[in-house]
Structure formats: structure tokens, C-alpha cells
Amino acid sequence: MRLKVKDVMSKNPIAVLPSDSVQECAFVMQEFNVGVMPVVCAGKFKGMITRKDIISKVIARGLRPKDVKASQIMTQDISFVTPEQRLEDIIAIMVCEKYRKLPVLKDGMFEGVVAVRDVIKYCSDDMTLDLAVSLL
């Protein structure tokens, strides 16, 4: 049986709103011990915020995190996967684009997140495992 994204993805992960301040985003990221946070509005995926975004786009520029909105620093042009895609296919995306986590979208609606760690749990062949481990 070939596993699909829907079989391994995290469903209903925590997300922030585009209108949330970066300070609120950082608090949520710290609270849930995550380095990447989806930005979602009315169920639609808008982008992702990473710890690196917060450091390079806010802190390093001397901006006040409570005055900057998630929508101002989120990465919008990001690859995504669908629930029906095979794990083998998404590993190639993760490796080529150096993503450890990808949003899962269905008809533009945010369904969840798939992480390289989710994929590794279900890897069955050495090549797939090698590709997944290269992202850790």
C-alpha cells in the first residue's frame, strides 16, 4: 500500500491569523515548541512564519514585534502538497526546496501540515529514508 499525505499529516495544527502581531506569533511558537507557524484566515492558507523570519525581518531591523503583523513578514510563495499526494512525491519537494514542513491544502483550504519527521516514521525503503534524513 502506498501511503499518502493524508495518512501521515498533522491535522488541525495550531495557526495564527494575518492580523496577529509578531509578538503573539512568537508566543504561540514558543508555547507549542514549533519553529514554523502557518498563517490562516477563514480556513484559507495565507503563508508561513518561521523563527528566521522573526529574527531577520523584525528583530535584526530593530522593529517592535508587537507593532508588526504576521501578514507583513510571512512567506507567501511557498510550495504546498495535497492530501492525496504520495509520500514519495513530497520527499522530492522537501529535498529540492529544503523545506522541513509543508502546508497541506485542498482546494485552497488549509488541511494541515506534513513534516519530514512525519514522513520518516513511514519510510520503508533506504532511498526514501536517506532523502528524508538529509533534511534533518
Side-chain angles (χ1 to χ4, degrees):
M1 177 177 104
R2 296 262 184 200
L3 288 174
K4 295 182 179 184
V5 170
K6 67 181 179 183
D7 300 319
V8 302
M9 69 185 215
S10 299
K11 297 174 179 105
N12 303 315
I14 192 75
V16 295
L17 295 168
S19 60
D20 286 343
S21 72
V22 169
Q23 183 174 358
E24 292 168 312
C25 296
F27 176 80
V28 173
M29 291 169 80
Q30 181 66 30
E31 188 73 18
F32 289 92
N33 193 31
V34 295
V36 178
M37 182 65 57
V39 181
V40 177
C41 185
K44 290 195 174 221
F45 178 78
K46 299 296 183 183
M48 295 280 253
I49 292 181
T50 66
R51 286 185 179 145
K52 182 179 177 184
D53 291 330
I54 293 171
I55 293 168
S56 65
K57 296 176 182 178
V58 179
I59 305 302
R61 294 181 180 172
L63 301 175
R64 294 172 44 168
K66 69 179 185 175
D67 295 334
V68 180
K69 300 296 180 204
S71 61
Q72 294 174 274
I73 69 162
M74 68 186 181
T75 302
Q76 296 177 9
D77 186 24
I78 191 166
S79 294
F80 65 90
V81 296
T82 66
E84 295 301 321
Q85 281 183 268
R86 296 178 314 144
L87 290 189
E88 294 88 350
D89 299 333
I90 68 162
I91 289 172
I93 296 169
M94 289 177 155
V95 170
C96 289
E97 300 190 29
K98 296 184 174 33
Y99 289 131
R100 290 184 181 176
K101 294 186 178 181
L102 288 168
V104 180
L105 307 182
K106 184 176 181 181
D107 300 323
M109 300 301 284
F110 182 65
E111 296 273 316
V113 172
V114 64
V116 69
R117 291 182 191 270
D118 299 328
V119 175
I120 288 173
K121 290 182 208 173
Y122 296 95
C123 289
S124 58
D125 64 44
D126 291 337
M127 183 177 149
T128 304
L129 183 58
D130 288 345
L131 289 173
V133 170
S134 73
L135 290 168
L136 293 178

